[in-house]
Amino acid sequence: MDTKQEEDLHQVYYAHDNSDHSSQNSQIDTALTTRPRIPIWRITISLILLFLNYFLAQYDKFILPYFQDDVISSLHLSSSAYGVLSGYATGIVYALLALPTAFVADYTAARVWVLTVAAVWWSLCAIFQGLSDNFWQILLARIGMGIGQAPVEALSVSLISDLLRQDYVFFGESVLYVGVYIGEAVSGQIAVAFARTGTPWNNALIAMGIVGIVIALLVRVFVPEPKRQISLVMANNERQNPGSTAASTAFAPKLLTARKNILSTFRYLAHMRSFYLLMLSSGFRQLGGNVFGYYMPSYLSNLYSSEPSLLSRYGIIVGVVGSVTVLSGGLITSLMWSRTKLLPLYLTAIGGMISSIFVLLMLFSLNASNGDPNRGIKVLYGTMSIAYLTAELWLGAINSLIALLLPPHTKTFGLAVWSLIQVLIYSSGPQIVGLSLRNTEPESGAYLEKTRIALAVMIPVGYWLAGIGFLLALPLVKLDIAGRFVEGRLQWCGRKGAFLAGGCVLGALVVALFIVSIYYSTT
């Protein structure tokens, strides 16, 4: 990209702002780069360490599903209590803490330091979680762990988006998200090994915490703080030269600058035409995946109780097929980047819709085989492989696109806002399923049947709502990439009011579900 293109991109947004800083906003920010120049060996080491850190940060989400029955019995939990642990217990903390920690990382230009401190903290809380012996202890430990895990994804995505050239960012982010699938694969093998040896489930969390501390220190030593890369839409949404922010020495000016940066970031997001729809669509997509991850392993192990190696093979399919698929999605997007910028939306929308069909076949695989477990297990493994091949192309590609659309100096904060709404949406899934299973014995046939119905409804609905939303967002993303944001000041009777109303409705739903779940978990 040449200098003239950069100047044009810098001026696309703040035409609606009457601030006297317009002359600053039209200048090229010398703190940005058009092409990162970091040695390939250091990029490789950084990707490996960020992947390991993210993998460990996600690992507890897979330990609970694979050891669901053991966790419930050893801690004397109800189904509603388990739903609290796997839903809003960490989801609310994620939503609340991701924003300030991400903002501090951007404001201080110390993303690696913030990531290191966060990793050490959640690792310690994982150890405490493994030492818990009742509901309230593990709940508090998981809330503490959520505080540390809150900024990990936003920080990692932000760093990778500046370590690599724009056309390679998609593949780099996909390497990060392999951690999701490797986590499930490793958890499946551990679950089988622990079951055979009689090892307690909480040993896995303690070991995870110890390893997490080591990885956190390696991240601090080897991962650089890269220079910020220009965005797809070089809209300078900061009213003050970002370079002067760090140089300010007076306390009051620093607070004023921080306030302006926060408001300008929200203003930028509010004027994007596609951000609302992309955020909601991704939230519904994650809701379906979250319910799948938390309840599918235990459902299938109960459905095929005579198959002792089911969890192991389930984990292998998730690990191998999921990893290959997410890497393929990132690689395809990188290779096609010069031709189209919209491929991540097509991969997510169409892939999820197709996958929902095979998810249903997974759930009803035994019925489709006339009750024959030998035939049913073959149907299960086949449909599960296709479900992952079609559904998991999206994760690295879509989050890369969002990172590249955001303003460089506050992209971590913008990614945290992006994650906040998604977390509040998708964390409701386990809460709803947990409430639907209350007063039902986990070992009963009724419990299995209710679980199947809940999964058969929530996963396809989540995938289809997401697919429709992403397809509707296609023309809006085109406008945003071209810098054609919503012009003028937003009105309370229009876009601004709708955003506030939506936030209030979502907040009320979160509070209601959390209170009801806590009530039923203690009665």
Side-chain angles (χ1 to χ4, degrees), residues 83 281 296 298 390 468:
S281 301
M296 190 66 80
S298 61
T390 51
I468 293 170

Side-chain angles (χ1 to χ4, degrees), residues 236-472:
N236 188 0
N237 70 320
E238 297 170 274
R239 302 192 184 187
Q240 187 170 330
N241 190 325
S244 66
T245 300
S248 178
T249 56
F251 184 63
K254 281 188 175 182
L255 290 180
L256 181 60
T257 299
R259 177 178 177 276
K260 286 183 176 180
N261 287 345
I262 291 174
L263 292 177
S264 63
T265 303
F266 278 117
R267 190 179 295 114
Y268 181 96
L269 298 178
H271 281 77
M272 286 180 65
R273 296 180 184 273
S274 63
F275 191 77
Y276 299 101
L277 190 53
L278 290 176
M279 186 169 53
L280 290 174
S281 301
S282 186
F284 285 119
R285 176 63 179 79
Q286 295 272 32
L287 183 146
N290 203 33
V291 171
F292 189 110
Y294 271 110
Y295 284 95
M296 190 66 80
S298 61
Y299 165 77
L300 293 177
S301 62
N302 289 328
L303 183 65
Y304 294 99
S305 56
S306 60
E307 295 289 332
S309 60
L310 184 142
L311 288 181
S312 176
R313 292 178 180 176
Y314 177 98
I316 291 172
I317 292 174
V318 173
V320 175
V321 179
S323 298
V324 170
T325 303
V326 73
L327 288 173
S328 299
L331 182 60
I332 293 170
T333 306
S334 290
L335 294 174
M336 298 292 292
W337 182 242
S338 60
R339 298 184 180 183
T340 176
K341 306 293 188 288
L342 303 177
L343 186 59
L345 303 182
Y346 286 110
L347 291 178
T348 309
I350 298 174
M353 290 175 172
I354 295 174
S355 177
S356 66
I357 299 172
F358 294 96
V359 170
L360 290 174
L361 290 174
M362 287 176 60
L363 292 169
F364 294 94
S365 57
L366 188 60
N367 303 69
S369 304
N370 297 320
D372 183 352
N374 293 325
R375 290 177 56 197
I377 203 72
K378 294 177 182 178
V379 172
L380 171 64
Y381 292 150
T383 54
M384 181 178 174
S385 298
I386 300 175
Y388 269 87
L389 278 171
T390 51
E392 304 307 321
L393 292 163
W394 77 293
L395 203 52
I398 196 70
N399 285 307
S400 300
L401 180 63
I402 298 302
L404 293 175
L405 283 170
L406 296 174
H409 288 290
T410 54
K411 73 168 72 176
T412 314
F413 183 71
L415 286 166
V417 175
W418 162 261
S419 298
L420 182 152
I421 303 300
Q422 291 184 68
V423 169
L424 293 180
I425 293 173
Y426 75 66
S427 294
S428 66
Q431 302 287 136
I432 295 171
V433 175
L435 288 173
S436 70
L437 296 174
R438 64 186 179 87
N439 299 327
T440 308
E441 289 296 325
E443 304 297 329
S444 65
Y447 186 91
L448 188 68
E449 183 62 25
K450 285 186 177 180
T451 303
R452 175 164 45 215
I453 294 172
L455 299 185
V457 172
M458 295 192 68
I459 297 173
V461 167
Y463 284 12
W464 274 82
L465 286 176
I468 293 170
F470 280 118
L471 292 176
L472 291 176

